[in-house]
Amino acid sequence: MLQLYKNEAITKVARQQIEIRQMELDWYTTNYDTMAMQSAMFAGFAFDQITEPVPEGTDLWMEVFYVTFTAIALGFELCVAMACTFCCIFGKGLALRGPHGARSVHIAVDNMQAQQKWIFIQFVAGIVSYMLSHVLQVWIYFRPKIAFTVSIPLVLFMTAIVYYIKYIVEALTMDDKRAITGQISAWAPYERIQDLDEAIYRPIEMRASTFASGKMLA
């Protein structure tokens, strides 16, 4: 009877740790969902923009830079949308159905944390490229005086966006080494306990299946 109570206590604490890691998993999933929706929207705008023909007589260098920035924006935003989708699907799938129990949850959360920084960089790079392509688009479709007038606020807003992104990131983010996680290292030995169904019932089932197959062959 004491063994059952001890196992119940260990299982209860392990489940509480998983609930804490679930909060991290949900937070990363929300971040990925947000970036996926926004990047899909910008990718749609960039696709409409790149399929629109450039007026004849446009300077070659301007046309090349315009199409290049638009293609970069489209590529980055599509990469972000696909990466976020895969992280949400396979990350939560690994945490829920992983063969190593709590260790699978740790692997899923840690990898989603590691990928978030690079996906966010791609997301911001795509937005900056999209805004630069719009500055060039103004010079392509409007007269120089009007293009110059419109370019001034566009450049100012783009500079302000980059500045506030940098300010917010520096103010609200921290180094991964200093961040607190929900993993309790003291419980690592208990995370190596196998699934009872996999460890006990499945071998019996496989032996029975092997015995039945041998009997049929005989």
Side-chain angles (χ1 to χ4, degrees), residues 127-148:
I127 294 177
V128 173
S129 299
Y130 178 74
M131 297 187 68
L132 289 174
S133 69
H134 268 296
V135 174
L136 292 174
Q137 186 183 34
V138 171
W139 285 91
I140 291 174
Y141 286 92
F142 295 96
R143 298 191 303 271
K145 291 183 179 181
I146 298 177
F148 180 77

Side-chain angles (χ1 to χ4, degrees), residues 124-179:
V124 175
I127 294 177
V128 173
S129 299
Y130 178 74
M131 297 187 68
L132 289 174
S133 69
H134 268 296
V135 174
L136 292 174
Q137 186 183 34
V138 171
W139 285 91
I140 291 174
Y141 286 92
F142 295 96
R143 298 191 303 271
K145 291 183 179 181
I146 298 177
F148 180 77
T149 305
V150 176
S151 297
I152 293 175
L154 283 177
V155 172
L156 290 177
F157 277 113
M158 183 178 64
T159 304
I161 289 173
V162 173
Y163 170 77
Y164 280 112
I165 289 176
K166 182 176 181 297
Y167 175 78
I168 293 173
V169 169
E170 291 180 351
L172 298 180
T173 59
M174 65 183 69
D175 187 71
D176 292 339
K177 296 180 180 179
R178 298 176 55 194

Side-chain angles (χ1 to χ4, degrees), residues 21 25 91 94-95 99-114 183:
R21 297 243 80 180
L25 187 66
L94 176 61
H100 303 297
R103 285 185 293 166
S104 297
V105 178
H106 299 326
I107 293 173
V109 174
D110 293 342
N111 280 280
M112 292 180 74
Q113 176 187 2
Q183 183 176 2

Side-chain angles (χ1 to χ4, degrees), residues 75-130:
F76 272 132
E77 300 304 335
L78 285 177
C79 287
V80 171
M82 296 302 295
C84 290
T85 302
F86 290 157
C87 284
C88 289
I89 294 174
F90 297 113
K92 297 191 74 171
L94 176 61
L96 179 64
R97 305 178 62 192
H100 303 297
R103 285 185 293 166
S104 297
V105 178
H106 299 326
I107 293 173
V109 174
D110 293 342
N111 280 280
M112 292 180 74
Q113 176 187 2
Q115 295 299 321
Q116 181 178 240
K117 178 181 178 180
W118 300 109
I119 294 176
F120 179 74
I121 291 174
Q122 296 178 31
F123 177 69
V124 175
I127 294 177
V128 173
S129 299
Y130 178 74

Side-chain angles (χ1 to χ4, degrees), residues 203-214:
I204 297 175
E205 185 182 22
M206 291 178 63
R207 288 199 299 268
S209 177
T210 303
F211 176 77
S213 299

Side-chain angles (χ1 to χ4, degrees), residues 20-29 109 180-183:
I20 297 174
R21 297 243 80 180
Q22 179 68 39
M23 296 171 62
E24 294 181 87
L25 187 66
D26 292 340
W27 181 70
Y28 288 121
T29 302
V109 174
I180 298 175
T181 66
Q183 183 176 2

